[in-house]
Each structure stands twice: as structure tokens, then as C-alpha cells.
Amino acid sequence: CLCLFLFPLAPYALATAQEKVDLELILMADGSGSVDDDEFILQRMGHVRALRHPTILRAIRGGQLGRIALSYVEWSGPELHIPSVPWTIIHTKQDIEAFAAQLETHPRELYGGGTALGDAILHGMQSLRTNRFDGRRLVIDVSGDGPDRNGLDAVVGRDKAVAAGIIINGLPILDGWPGLDRFFYDNVIGGPGAFVESARGFKDVYYAVRRKLI
């Protein structure tokens, strides 16, 4: 029977198939020690509220395929990257609500470890390379409230990711670092159409994230 020969190949075929999407987007949020618990909640809920805004789903559905792949990772030191929400297909209102609900309830797992922007970018690059999606565009959105303090320089991670065809956008949170937006322009963002969307402080994260996602 032909099916007996085909059946053993099915798991391999499923494992290697990649779902096509308009965009693969990894949201990388600062979980370092400089972000206290109140600021952490403002940052996390800023992303949650922005994702739930109806214009975000309309923008997603407006793509050629009408779906994206989305992940949310919190980062700090060179080896500290926590996927708060793993790679998820976003196509319907139910998809985006489930993602937002998971992000809203996931406990904080990072409380320190430094600020290694370059390593965070490389982690995002690796995650984009190894997920199960095939996106027309590959994008890392990285937010942070300070420049590099340890690990790989941001510009090194940026250049490697851009060379791999990845776009990096930045969301600097300017509390305590008035010149942080300039640092992001010079060292973090890269690729065609890359941009910086600054938040004046953690209370402004929602508005900045919403503008950036749209």
C-alpha cells in the first residue's frame, strides 16, 4: 500500500514546512535592572494595549497575505533572553487577543543582568532564522531605557542582522537618558526603512508602540 511508504515521511514534511506570512516581527523589550517593577508593567501593558488597538489588526489584514508571525521577548544581559510569548500566527481578532492575553499574564522573569543590546539583536536574528515561518519581511523591534553596558556592542549586532536581510527598528525610552534616541539612530536601527520611535518615558510606551506597529 502506498500510504505505508508515505506515512513515515509526514512528520518530516510537517517539521520542514514553513508558513508564508507578510511579516515576521519579534518585539524585544528591556527587562534589565534599570527597569523597576512599575516601569516594567508600563512597558508590558503598553505593548498589550497597542496590540489590542483595532488599527493594528486592520494593518495586519491589509497585507498581501493578511497575516503575520509575532513573538515577544524580554532581554537584558548577553545570555538573558526570555520568550514571554513564542512565535504565533496573527490573522484574526481572536489571534491577537490570545497573544495579548498571554503577554498580559506572563510573569516577569528578568530582574537584572546588564544591558546587552548587541546580543539582544543577535538573539532576535537567530529566532527569525529558526522559526517555522517564511516572511516577506523580517523585523526586530527593540525597546530599551539605556545604551550598551555589557556584552556585544549594539552596532556589531545591528550590522550582522542587516547583512542577513533583517530590519531593526528602535523604541528608546528616554527616562534618564535624553540622548538615547541619538544612540539608537547611530548604533541600533538598520535596514531599508528602519526608524526610531521614541517614548518620552514609560508612561508613553503605549503611544510609541502603537505608532511604531502601525
Side-chain angles (χ1 to χ4, degrees), residues 147-184:
D148 288 324
R149 290 193 177 91
N150 58 333
L152 192 69
D153 289 345
V155 69
V156 176
R158 186 269 312 275
D159 290 348
K160 288 184 177 181
V162 170
I166 295 168
I167 299 167
I168 307 155
N169 299 320
L171 194 157
I173 303 167
L174 303 182
D175 278 358
W177 292 93
L180 187 60
D181 51 349
R182 187 73 260 168
F183 177 85
F184 269 65

PDB file of all heavy atoms in Angstrom, residues 147-184:
ATOM      1  N   PRO A 147      21.750  52.756  26.922  1.00  0.00           N
ATOM      2  CA  PRO A 147      22.675  52.236  25.917  1.00  0.00           C
ATOM      3  C   PRO A 147      23.349  50.957  26.406  1.00  0.00           C
ATOM      4  O   PRO A 147      23.070  50.471  27.503  1.00  0.00           O
ATOM      5  CB  PRO A 147      23.685  53.378  25.766  1.00  0.00           C
ATOM      6  CG  PRO A 147      23.710  54.009  27.127  1.00  0.00           C
ATOM      7  CD  PRO A 147      22.309  53.894  27.667  1.00  0.00           C
ATOM      8  N   ASP A 148      24.257  50.429  25.583  1.00  0.00           N
ATOM      9  CA  ASP A 148      25.018  49.235  25.966  1.00  0.00           C
ATOM     10  C   ASP A 148      25.722  49.418  27.298  1.00  0.00           C
ATOM     11  O   ASP A 148      26.308  50.471  27.570  1.00  0.00           O
ATOM     12  CB  ASP A 148      26.109  48.950  24.921  1.00  0.00           C
ATOM     13  CG  ASP A 148      25.530  48.438  23.620  1.00  0.00           C
ATOM     14  OD1 ASP A 148      24.545  47.700  23.667  1.00  0.00           O
ATOM     15  OD2 ASP A 148      26.081  48.787  22.572  1.00  0.00           O
ATOM     16  N   ARG A 149      25.700  48.357  28.120  1.00  0.00           N
ATOM     17  CA  ARG A 149      26.517  48.351  29.337  1.00  0.00           C
ATOM     18  C   ARG A 149      27.443  47.145  29.369  1.00  0.00           C
ATOM     19  O   ARG A 149      28.446  47.157  30.054  1.00  0.00           O
ATOM     20  CB  ARG A 149      25.613  48.342  30.579  1.00  0.00           C
ATOM     21  CG  ARG A 149      24.871  49.658  30.790  1.00  0.00           C
ATOM     22  CD  ARG A 149      24.243  49.705  32.186  1.00  0.00           C
ATOM     23  NE  ARG A 149      23.589  50.976  32.423  1.00  0.00           N
ATOM     24  CZ  ARG A 149      22.307  51.215  32.153  1.00  0.00           C
ATOM     25  NH1 ARG A 149      21.562  50.271  31.628  1.00  0.00           N
ATOM     26  NH2 ARG A 149      21.777  52.399  32.395  1.00  0.00           N
ATOM     27  N   ASN A 150      27.107  46.104  28.655  1.00  0.00           N
ATOM     28  CA  ASN A 150      27.954  44.909  28.619  1.00  0.00           C
ATOM     29  C   ASN A 150      27.601  44.097  27.386  1.00  0.00           C
ATOM     30  O   ASN A 150      26.690  44.438  26.642  1.00  0.00           O
ATOM     31  CB  ASN A 150      27.797  44.066  29.889  1.00  0.00           C
ATOM     32  CG  ASN A 150      26.365  43.621  30.132  1.00  0.00           C
ATOM     33  OD1 ASN A 150      25.413  44.259  29.713  1.00  0.00           O
ATOM     34  ND2 ASN A 150      26.205  42.509  30.831  1.00  0.00           N
ATOM     35  N   GLY A 151      28.352  43.037  27.168  1.00  0.00           N
ATOM     36  CA  GLY A 151      28.086  42.184  26.026  1.00  0.00           C
ATOM     37  C   GLY A 151      28.556  42.791  24.720  1.00  0.00           C
ATOM     38  O   GLY A 151      29.349  43.729  24.674  1.00  0.00           O
ATOM     39  N   LEU A 152      28.029  42.265  23.635  1.00  0.00           N
ATOM     40  CA  LEU A 152      28.394  42.701  22.298  1.00  0.00           C
ATOM     41  C   LEU A 152      27.873  44.107  22.026  1.00  0.00           C
ATOM     42  O   LEU A 152      26.743  44.440  22.391  1.00  0.00           O
ATOM     43  CB  LEU A 152      27.792  41.720  21.283  1.00  0.00           C
ATOM     44  CG  LEU A 152      28.248  41.798  19.838  1.00  0.00           C
ATOM     45  CD1 LEU A 152      29.687  41.333  19.720  1.00  0.00           C
ATOM     46  CD2 LEU A 152      27.334  40.933  18.966  1.00  0.00           C
ATOM     47  N   ASP A 153      28.691  44.925  21.396  1.00  0.00           N
ATOM     48  CA  ASP A 153      28.250  46.273  21.050  1.00  0.00           C
ATOM     49  C   ASP A 153      27.009  46.213  20.163  1.00  0.00           C
ATOM     50  O   ASP A 153      26.905  45.371  19.260  1.00  0.00           O
ATOM     51  CB  ASP A 153      29.349  47.033  20.318  1.00  0.00           C
ATOM     52  CG  ASP A 153      30.502  47.414  21.225  1.00  0.00           C
ATOM     53  OD1 ASP A 153      30.333  47.357  22.454  1.00  0.00           O
ATOM     54  OD2 ASP A 153      31.583  47.760  20.695  1.00  0.00           O
ATOM     55  N   ALA A 154      26.102  47.139  20.375  1.00  0.00           N
ATOM     56  CA  ALA A 154      24.864  47.174  19.594  1.00  0.00           C
ATOM     57  C   ALA A 154      25.151  47.248  18.106  1.00  0.00           C
ATOM     58  O   ALA A 154      24.497  46.567  17.296  1.00  0.00           O
ATOM     59  CB  ALA A 154      24.000  48.347  20.028  1.00  0.00           C
ATOM     60  N   VAL A 155      26.128  48.055  17.715  1.00  0.00           N
ATOM     61  CA  VAL A 155      26.402  48.261  16.297  1.00  0.00           C
ATOM     62  C   VAL A 155      26.884  46.971  15.629  1.00  0.00           C
ATOM     63  O   VAL A 155      26.600  46.731  14.447  1.00  0.00           O
ATOM     64  CB  VAL A 155      27.417  49.410  16.102  1.00  0.00           C
ATOM     65  CG1 VAL A 155      28.805  49.027  16.611  1.00  0.00           C
ATOM     66  CG2 VAL A 155      27.463  49.855  14.650  1.00  0.00           C
ATOM     67  N   VAL A 156      27.580  46.110  16.374  1.00  0.00           N
ATOM     68  CA  VAL A 156      28.048  44.836  15.820  1.00  0.00           C
ATOM     69  C   VAL A 156      26.860  43.916  15.543  1.00  0.00           C
ATOM     70  O   VAL A 156      26.739  43.316  14.471  1.00  0.00           O
ATOM     71  CB  VAL A 156      29.061  44.158  16.766  1.00  0.00           C
ATOM     72  CG1 VAL A 156      29.462  42.789  16.236  1.00  0.00           C
ATOM     73  CG2 VAL A 156      30.288  45.040  16.951  1.00  0.00           C
ATOM     74  N   GLY A 157      25.955  43.794  16.528  1.00  0.00           N
ATOM     75  CA  GLY A 157      24.742  43.001  16.323  1.00  0.00           C
ATOM     76  C   GLY A 157      23.906  43.566  15.202  1.00  0.00           C
ATOM     77  O   GLY A 157      23.384  42.816  14.359  1.00  0.00           O
ATOM     78  N   ARG A 158      23.773  44.891  15.172  1.00  0.00           N
ATOM     79  CA  ARG A 158      23.000  45.551  14.117  1.00  0.00           C
ATOM     80  C   ARG A 158      23.538  45.211  12.736  1.00  0.00           C
ATOM     81  O   ARG A 158      22.796  44.833  11.831  1.00  0.00           O
ATOM     82  CB  ARG A 158      23.031  47.059  14.353  1.00  0.00           C
ATOM     83  CG  ARG A 158      22.160  47.926  13.445  1.00  0.00           C
ATOM     84  CD  ARG A 158      22.850  48.426  12.195  1.00  0.00           C
ATOM     85  NE  ARG A 158      24.144  49.018  12.380  1.00  0.00           N
ATOM     86  CZ  ARG A 158      24.357  50.299  12.703  1.00  0.00           C
ATOM     87  NH1 ARG A 158      23.362  51.123  12.911  1.00  0.00           N
ATOM     88  NH2 ARG A 158      25.607  50.751  12.792  1.00  0.00           N
ATOM     89  N   ASP A 159      24.853  45.328  12.561  1.00  0.00           N
ATOM     90  CA  ASP A 159      25.445  45.102  11.238  1.00  0.00           C
ATOM     91  C   ASP A 159      25.290  43.651  10.783  1.00  0.00           C
ATOM     92  O   ASP A 159      25.049  43.380   9.602  1.00  0.00           O
ATOM     93  CB  ASP A 159      26.921  45.502  11.249  1.00  0.00           C
ATOM     94  CG  ASP A 159      27.126  47.010  11.351  1.00  0.00           C
ATOM     95  OD1 ASP A 159      26.135  47.747  11.185  1.00  0.00           O
ATOM     96  OD2 ASP A 159      28.267  47.442  11.603  1.00  0.00           O
ATOM     97  N   LYS A 160      25.399  42.708  11.705  1.00  0.00           N
ATOM     98  CA  LYS A 160      25.222  41.297  11.347  1.00  0.00           C
ATOM     99  C   LYS A 160      23.778  41.020  10.936  1.00  0.00           C
ATOM    100  O   LYS A 160      23.523  40.292   9.964  1.00  0.00           O
ATOM    101  CB  LYS A 160      25.628  40.392  12.516  1.00  0.00           C
ATOM    102  CG  LYS A 160      27.126  40.349  12.763  1.00  0.00           C
ATOM    103  CD  LYS A 160      27.470  39.360  13.869  1.00  0.00           C
ATOM    104  CE  LYS A 160      28.985  39.277  14.067  1.00  0.00           C
ATOM    105  NZ  LYS A 160      29.348  38.299  15.127  1.00  0.00           N
ATOM    106  N   ALA A 161      22.839  41.590  11.663  1.00  0.00           N
ATOM    107  CA  ALA A 161      21.433  41.360  11.335  1.00  0.00           C
ATOM    108  C   ALA A 161      21.070  41.998  10.000  1.00  0.00           C
ATOM    109  O   ALA A 161      20.365  41.389   9.176  1.00  0.00           O
ATOM    110  CB  ALA A 161      20.539  41.905  12.452  1.00  0.00           C
ATOM    111  N   VAL A 162      21.524  43.204   9.766  1.00  0.00           N
ATOM    112  CA  VAL A 162      21.237  43.882   8.499  1.00  0.00           C
ATOM    113  C   VAL A 162      21.839  43.110   7.331  1.00  0.00           C
ATOM    114  O   VAL A 162      21.217  42.965   6.271  1.00  0.00           O
ATOM    115  CB  VAL A 162      21.750  45.334   8.532  1.00  0.00           C
ATOM    116  CG1 VAL A 162      21.675  45.968   7.149  1.00  0.00           C
ATOM    117  CG2 VAL A 162      20.932  46.159   9.527  1.00  0.00           C
ATOM    118  N   ALA A 163      23.052  42.568   7.519  1.00  0.00           N
ATOM    119  CA  ALA A 163      23.680  41.773   6.465  1.00  0.00           C
ATOM    120  C   ALA A 163      22.872  40.524   6.153  1.00  0.00           C
ATOM    121  O   ALA A 163      22.952  39.986   5.036  1.00  0.00           O
ATOM    122  CB  ALA A 163      25.099  41.392   6.873  1.00  0.00           C
ATOM    123  N   ALA A 164      22.079  40.046   7.120  1.00  0.00           N
ATOM    124  CA  ALA A 164      21.234  38.864   6.920  1.00  0.00           C
ATOM    125  C   ALA A 164      19.856  39.233   6.366  1.00  0.00           C
ATOM    126  O   ALA A 164      18.978  38.374   6.290  1.00  0.00           O
ATOM    127  CB  ALA A 164      21.082  38.112   8.238  1.00  0.00           C
ATOM    128  N   GLY A 165      19.651  40.505   6.011  1.00  0.00           N
ATOM    129  CA  GLY A 165      18.390  40.925   5.416  1.00  0.00           C
ATOM    130  C   GLY A 165      17.306  41.281   6.410  1.00  0.00           C
ATOM    131  O   GLY A 165      16.127  41.300   6.054  1.00  0.00           O
ATOM    132  N   ILE A 166      17.690  41.584   7.653  1.00  0.00           N
ATOM    133  CA  ILE A 166      16.729  41.888   8.717  1.00  0.00           C
ATOM    134  C   ILE A 166      16.695  43.392   8.964  1.00  0.00           C
ATOM    135  O   ILE A 166      17.744  44.058   8.965  1.00  0.00           O
ATOM    136  CB  ILE A 166      17.112  41.142  10.008  1.00  0.00           C
ATOM    137  CG1 ILE A 166      16.980  39.623   9.766  1.00  0.00           C
ATOM    138  CG2 ILE A 166      16.254  41.576  11.182  1.00  0.00           C
ATOM    139  CD1 ILE A 166      17.588  38.785  10.858  1.00  0.00           C
ATOM    140  N   ILE A 167      15.518  43.914   9.188  1.00  0.00           N
ATOM    141  CA  ILE A 167      15.322  45.323   9.532  1.00  0.00           C
ATOM    142  C   ILE A 167      15.225  45.449  11.042  1.00  0.00           C
ATOM    143  O   ILE A 167      14.547  44.651  11.696  1.00  0.00           O
ATOM    144  CB  ILE A 167      14.049  45.877   8.873  1.00  0.00           C
ATOM    145  CG1 ILE A 167      14.159  45.785   7.349  1.00  0.00           C
ATOM    146  CG2 ILE A 167      13.777  47.316   9.312  1.00  0.00           C
ATOM    147  CD1 ILE A 167      12.837  46.006   6.636  1.00  0.00           C
ATOM    148  N   ILE A 168      15.891  46.452  11.609  1.00  0.00           N
ATOM    149  CA  ILE A 168      15.834  46.691  13.056  1.00  0.00           C
ATOM    150  C   ILE A 168      15.288  48.093  13.299  1.00  0.00           C
ATOM    151  O   ILE A 168      15.875  49.084  12.834  1.00  0.00           O
ATOM    152  CB  ILE A 168      17.222  46.567  13.710  1.00  0.00           C
ATOM    153  CG1 ILE A 168      17.863  45.230  13.345  1.00  0.00           C
ATOM    154  CG2 ILE A 168      17.122  46.713  15.222  1.00  0.00           C
ATOM    155  CD1 ILE A 168      19.364  45.260  13.415  1.00  0.00           C
ATOM    156  N   ASN A 169      14.163  48.170  14.006  1.00  0.00           N
ATOM    157  CA  ASN A 169      13.595  49.442  14.437  1.00  0.00           C
ATOM    158  C   ASN A 169      13.826  49.612  15.935  1.00  0.00           C
ATOM    159  O   ASN A 169      13.979  48.629  16.661  1.00  0.00           O
ATOM    160  CB  ASN A 169      12.100  49.494  14.132  1.00  0.00           C
ATOM    161  CG  ASN A 169      11.810  49.372  12.651  1.00  0.00           C
ATOM    162  OD1 ASN A 169      12.519  49.939  11.824  1.00  0.00           O
ATOM    163  ND2 ASN A 169      10.774  48.623  12.312  1.00  0.00           N
ATOM    164  N   GLY A 170      13.834  50.855  16.393  1.00  0.00           N
ATOM    165  CA  GLY A 170      14.134  51.106  17.801  1.00  0.00           C
ATOM    166  C   GLY A 170      13.078  51.926  18.502  1.00  0.00           C
ATOM    167  O   GLY A 170      12.466  52.825  17.907  1.00  0.00           O
ATOM    168  N   LEU A 171      12.864  51.580  19.779  1.00  0.00           N
ATOM    169  CA  LEU A 171      11.990  52.365  20.637  1.00  0.00           C
ATOM    170  C   LEU A 171      12.767  52.710  21.907  1.00  0.00           C
ATOM    171  O   LEU A 171      12.718  51.980  22.897  1.00  0.00           O
ATOM    172  CB  LEU A 171      10.708  51.596  20.977  1.00  0.00           C
ATOM    173  CG  LEU A 171       9.558  52.412  21.587  1.00  0.00           C
ATOM    174  CD1 LEU A 171       8.225  51.701  21.358  1.00  0.00           C
ATOM    175  CD2 LEU A 171       9.754  52.638  23.090  1.00  0.00           C
ATOM    176  N   PRO A 172      13.536  53.807  21.880  1.00  0.00           N
ATOM    177  CA  PRO A 172      14.228  54.234  23.100  1.00  0.00           C
ATOM    178  C   PRO A 172      13.254  54.880  24.077  1.00  0.00           C
ATOM    179  O   PRO A 172      12.392  55.664  23.685  1.00  0.00           O
ATOM    180  CB  PRO A 172      15.247  55.253  22.582  1.00  0.00           C
ATOM    181  CG  PRO A 172      14.649  55.791  21.322  1.00  0.00           C
ATOM    182  CD  PRO A 172      13.835  54.666  20.729  1.00  0.00           C
ATOM    183  N   ILE A 173      13.387  54.520  25.356  1.00  0.00           N
ATOM    184  CA  ILE A 173      12.573  55.101  26.422  1.00  0.00           C
ATOM    185  C   ILE A 173      13.463  56.106  27.138  1.00  0.00           C
ATOM    186  O   ILE A 173      14.463  55.744  27.754  1.00  0.00           O
ATOM    187  CB  ILE A 173      12.066  54.005  27.374  1.00  0.00           C
ATOM    188  CG1 ILE A 173      11.276  52.954  26.574  1.00  0.00           C
ATOM    189  CG2 ILE A 173      11.187  54.610  28.471  1.00  0.00           C
ATOM    190  CD1 ILE A 173      10.991  51.680  27.341  1.00  0.00           C
ATOM    191  N   LEU A 174      13.129  57.390  27.032  1.00  0.00           N
ATOM    192  CA  LEU A 174      14.078  58.450  27.326  1.00  0.00           C
ATOM    193  C   LEU A 174      14.201  58.824  28.796  1.00  0.00           C
ATOM    194  O   LEU A 174      14.911  59.766  29.118  1.00  0.00           O
ATOM    195  CB  LEU A 174      13.729  59.693  26.493  1.00  0.00           C
ATOM    196  CG  LEU A 174      13.685  59.468  24.973  1.00  0.00           C
ATOM    197  CD1 LEU A 174      13.383  60.779  24.251  1.00  0.00           C
ATOM    198  CD2 LEU A 174      14.988  58.873  24.463  1.00  0.00           C
ATOM    199  N   ASP A 175      13.522  58.124  29.699  1.00  0.00           N
ATOM    200  CA  ASP A 175      13.689  58.405  31.128  1.00  0.00           C
ATOM    201  C   ASP A 175      15.159  58.291  31.524  1.00  0.00           C
ATOM    202  O   ASP A 175      15.751  57.208  31.478  1.00  0.00           O
ATOM    203  CB  ASP A 175      12.880  57.397  31.965  1.00  0.00           C
ATOM    204  CG  ASP A 175      11.420  57.786  32.073  1.00  0.00           C
ATOM    205  OD1 ASP A 175      11.043  58.835  31.539  1.00  0.00           O
ATOM    206  OD2 ASP A 175      10.652  57.032  32.690  1.00  0.00           O
ATOM    207  N   GLY A 176      15.769  59.394  31.929  1.00  0.00           N
ATOM    208  CA  GLY A 176      17.142  59.351  32.434  1.00  0.00           C
ATOM    209  C   GLY A 176      18.213  59.390  31.363  1.00  0.00           C
ATOM    210  O   GLY A 176      19.396  59.588  31.672  1.00  0.00           O
ATOM    211  N   TRP A 177      17.859  59.210  30.104  1.00  0.00           N
ATOM    212  CA  TRP A 177      18.845  59.230  29.019  1.00  0.00           C
ATOM    213  C   TRP A 177      18.322  60.114  27.891  1.00  0.00           C
ATOM    214  O   TRP A 177      17.851  59.612  26.863  1.00  0.00           O
ATOM    215  CB  TRP A 177      19.109  57.818  28.499  1.00  0.00           C
ATOM    216  CG  TRP A 177      19.822  56.934  29.470  1.00  0.00           C
ATOM    217  CD1 TRP A 177      19.264  56.076  30.369  1.00  0.00           C
ATOM    218  CD2 TRP A 177      21.228  56.819  29.639  1.00  0.00           C
ATOM    219  NE1 TRP A 177      20.232  55.437  31.084  1.00  0.00           N
ATOM    220  CE2 TRP A 177      21.454  55.866  30.660  1.00  0.00           C
ATOM    221  CE3 TRP A 177      22.344  57.426  29.030  1.00  0.00           C
ATOM    222  CZ2 TRP A 177      22.733  55.519  31.093  1.00  0.00           C
ATOM    223  CZ3 TRP A 177      23.610  57.067  29.444  1.00  0.00           C
ATOM    224  CH2 TRP A 177      23.796  56.129  30.461  1.00  0.00           C
ATOM    225  N   PRO A 178      18.431  61.433  28.024  1.00  0.00           N
ATOM    226  CA  PRO A 178      17.882  62.332  26.998  1.00  0.00           C
ATOM    227  C   PRO A 178      18.473  62.108  25.610  1.00  0.00           C
ATOM    228  O   PRO A 178      17.821  62.353  24.606  1.00  0.00           O
ATOM    229  CB  PRO A 178      18.230  63.722  27.534  1.00  0.00           C
ATOM    230  CG  PRO A 178      18.416  63.538  29.009  1.00  0.00           C
ATOM    231  CD  PRO A 178      18.991  62.167  29.171  1.00  0.00           C
ATOM    232  N   GLY A 179      19.718  61.641  25.518  1.00  0.00           N
ATOM    233  CA  GLY A 179      20.340  61.422  24.215  1.00  0.00           C
ATOM    234  C   GLY A 179      20.219  60.003  23.697  1.00  0.00           C
ATOM    235  O   GLY A 179      20.880  59.632  22.722  1.00  0.00           O
ATOM    236  N   LEU A 180      19.360  59.196  24.323  1.00  0.00           N
ATOM    237  CA  LEU A 180      19.264  57.800  23.950  1.00  0.00           C
ATOM    238  C   LEU A 180      18.727  57.614  22.527  1.00  0.00           C
ATOM    239  O   LEU A 180      19.115  56.669  21.830  1.00  0.00           O
ATOM    240  CB  LEU A 180      18.363  57.055  24.946  1.00  0.00           C
ATOM    241  CG  LEU A 180      18.285  55.538  24.805  1.00  0.00           C
ATOM    242  CD1 LEU A 180      19.660  54.891  24.979  1.00  0.00           C
ATOM    243  CD2 LEU A 180      17.297  54.957  25.820  1.00  0.00           C
ATOM    244  N   ASP A 181      17.861  58.525  22.102  1.00  0.00           N
ATOM    245  CA  ASP A 181      17.354  58.410  20.733  1.00  0.00           C
ATOM    246  C   ASP A 181      18.479  58.527  19.723  1.00  0.00           C
ATOM    247  O   ASP A 181      18.519  57.804  18.718  1.00  0.00           O
ATOM    248  CB  ASP A 181      16.260  59.438  20.468  1.00  0.00           C
ATOM    249  CG  ASP A 181      16.651  60.855  20.833  1.00  0.00           C
ATOM    250  OD1 ASP A 181      17.701  61.042  21.487  1.00  0.00           O
ATOM    251  OD2 ASP A 181      15.901  61.781  20.466  1.00  0.00           O
ATOM    252  N   ARG A 182      19.464  59.392  19.985  1.00  0.00           N
ATOM    253  CA  ARG A 182      20.607  59.521  19.085  1.00  0.00           C
ATOM    254  C   ARG A 182      21.438  58.247  19.064  1.00  0.00           C
ATOM    255  O   ARG A 182      21.918  57.819  18.016  1.00  0.00           O
ATOM    256  CB  ARG A 182      21.480  60.696  19.544  1.00  0.00           C
ATOM    257  CG  ARG A 182      22.616  61.057  18.623  1.00  0.00           C
ATOM    258  CD  ARG A 182      22.109  61.739  17.377  1.00  0.00           C
ATOM    259  NE  ARG A 182      22.040  60.815  16.234  1.00  0.00           N
ATOM    260  CZ  ARG A 182      21.423  61.099  15.100  1.00  0.00           C
ATOM    261  NH1 ARG A 182      20.770  62.235  14.965  1.00  0.00           N
ATOM    262  NH2 ARG A 182      21.420  60.242  14.112  1.00  0.00           N
ATOM    263  N   PHE A 183      21.597  57.624  20.242  1.00  0.00           N
ATOM    264  CA  PHE A 183      22.324  56.355  20.310  1.00  0.00           C
ATOM    265  C   PHE A 183      21.626  55.293  19.458  1.00  0.00           C
ATOM    266  O   PHE A 183      22.281  54.534  18.740  1.00  0.00           O
ATOM    267  CB  PHE A 183      22.426  55.890  21.767  1.00  0.00           C
ATOM    268  CG  PHE A 183      23.089  54.550  21.915  1.00  0.00           C
ATOM    269  CD1 PHE A 183      24.467  54.444  21.987  1.00  0.00           C
ATOM    270  CD2 PHE A 183      22.335  53.380  21.966  1.00  0.00           C
ATOM    271  CE1 PHE A 183      25.090  53.205  22.107  1.00  0.00           C
ATOM    272  CE2 PHE A 183      22.940  52.134  22.086  1.00  0.00           C
ATOM    273  CZ  PHE A 183      24.322  52.048  22.154  1.00  0.00           C
ATOM    274  N   PHE A 184      20.312  55.230  19.540  1.00  0.00           N
ATOM    275  CA  PHE A 184      19.569  54.251  18.748  1.00  0.00           C
ATOM    276  C   PHE A 184      19.713  54.531  17.254  1.00  0.00           C
ATOM    277  O   PHE A 184      19.881  53.597  16.465  1.00  0.00           O
ATOM    278  CB  PHE A 184      18.094  54.231  19.159  1.00  0.00           C
ATOM    279  CG  PHE A 184      17.772  53.248  20.249  1.00  0.00           C
ATOM    280  CD1 PHE A 184      18.294  53.389  21.525  1.00  0.00           C
ATOM    281  CD2 PHE A 184      16.934  52.172  20.005  1.00  0.00           C
ATOM    282  CE1 PHE A 184      18.002  52.484  22.531  1.00  0.00           C
ATOM    283  CE2 PHE A 184      16.624  51.251  20.996  1.00  0.00           C
ATOM    284  CZ  PHE A 184      17.171  51.408  22.265  1.00  0.00           C
TER     285      PHE A 184
END
